[in-house]
Amino acid sequence: MIFPRMVSPLLVGRRESIGAVDDALTFEKPVFLCTQRDPEVEEPELSDLYTMGVAASVLQTQQMPDGSLKVVVEGLGRGKLVQIRFRDYYYEATVAPVTDTGPAPDDETQVLMRTAVDQFDTYIQLGQRVSPEVLDALRTVESPGELADMIAAYISLNVEDRQALLDALDHNERLERLVEGLMRENQLLDLENKVRDRVRERID
């Protein structure tokens, strides 16, 4: 699962997905990326997919020895899946573009943005590998929705929590969900570090 403005590698193995990537490159069209509810379903229908996803451009592809593709994509923007149909060798999607909603940024928004950056700083200090330049860049972001998406790209959350962030079009709601997820992850990381230190002391 990726977010807008996020650059990410993907391993593409299904014949239909490889066909979609090839077609997107040939005709310079975006691909639509959304998460499958049950990854074991080989031929998903609309009901098997989360409908909120991200349109993405294919930046780079590499053929792997087993026939799969390693693909680098860049998220362009949110979209809502309306319909899918099977063509000769790939799925074609009808997607409705969506944009951020919510009130004009106010004091509460500023507090949420500052808290999100501070919690992400703590997340890095607790041992997560993120370049310091990323944090510096985040401090200059003025759009609340963009800030939430950029931070979400770097943190480890389960599929349901990440999808909830993708679904949240109200930027304040997205920031609140992000802060909640970061605080929970930071508590777990802090506990993990304490347990690791305690075990190391016993071994020493």
Side-chain angles (χ1 to χ4, degrees):
M1 186 187 302
I2 75 163
F3 290 86
R5 292 167 290 276
M6 176 180 174
V7 177
S8 176
L10 299 174
L11 195 61
V12 180
R14 286 181 182 165
R15 178 179 63 92
E16 295 83 0
S17 299
I18 293 173
V21 170
D22 289 340
D23 201 67
L25 287 171
T26 300
F27 297 101
E28 297 183 348
K29 297 191 297 185
V31 292
F32 183 69
L33 305 175
C34 58
T35 303
Q36 196 168 307
R37 296 179 185 275
D38 181 358
E40 300 300 321
V41 177
E42 284 299 321
E43 297 181 2
E45 298 180 356
L46 188 63
S47 59
D48 297 312
L49 305 170
Y50 288 103
T51 54
M52 187 69 77
V54 171
S57 58
V58 179
L59 303 181
Q60 181 181 339
T61 63
Q62 179 184 353
Q63 188 80 38
M64 305 302 287
D66 62 357
S68 63
L69 283 179
K70 185 177 182 182
V71 181
V72 178
V73 296
E74 179 179 14
L76 300 174
R78 281 173 172 76
K80 196 168 184 65
L81 184 60
V82 177
Q83 183 181 2
I84 55 173
R85 62 184 70 85
F86 187 70
R87 295 303 189 185
D88 293 336
Y89 52 92
Y90 68 95
Y91 286 101
E92 182 181 76
T94 301
V95 178
V98 295
T99 56
D100 286 357
T101 62
D106 53 15
D107 289 345
E108 181 180 353
T109 306
Q110 293 301 318
V111 170
L112 283 168
M113 292 175 70
R114 191 177 307 138
T115 304
V117 173
D118 289 345
Q119 287 293 323
F120 185 61
D121 188 10
T122 302
Y123 182 78
I124 296 173
Q125 292 178 25
L126 287 171
Q128 300 307 295
R129 295 179 181 177
V130 179
S131 168
E133 290 79 11
V134 171
L135 190 61
D136 293 338
L138 290 174
R139 296 190 189 280
T140 66
V141 175
E142 297 182 357
S143 165
E146 182 179 341
L147 178 69
D149 287 342
M150 290 176 67
I151 294 177
Y154 287 98
I155 62 177
S156 300
L157 296 174
N158 62 40
V159 171
E160 289 76 14
D161 287 342
R162 289 176 73 81
Q163 186 64 46
L165 287 174
L166 200 60
D167 287 340
L169 299 182
D170 183 301
H171 49 72
N172 278 14
E173 178 189 350
R174 192 184 310 162
L175 281 167
E176 282 193 29
R177 288 180 178 272
L178 177 69
V179 169
E180 180 182 341
L182 275 167
M183 293 179 72
R184 187 167 60 246
E185 284 298 308
N186 287 343
Q187 289 175 349
L188 291 173
L189 287 169
D190 185 49
L191 179 59
E192 184 179 306
N193 288 339
K194 288 177 180 177
V195 170
R196 186 183 295 113
D197 290 343
R198 190 165 65 241
V199 171
R200 186 180 294 115
E201 286 178 6
R202 289 179 181 175
I203 292 174
D204 291 344

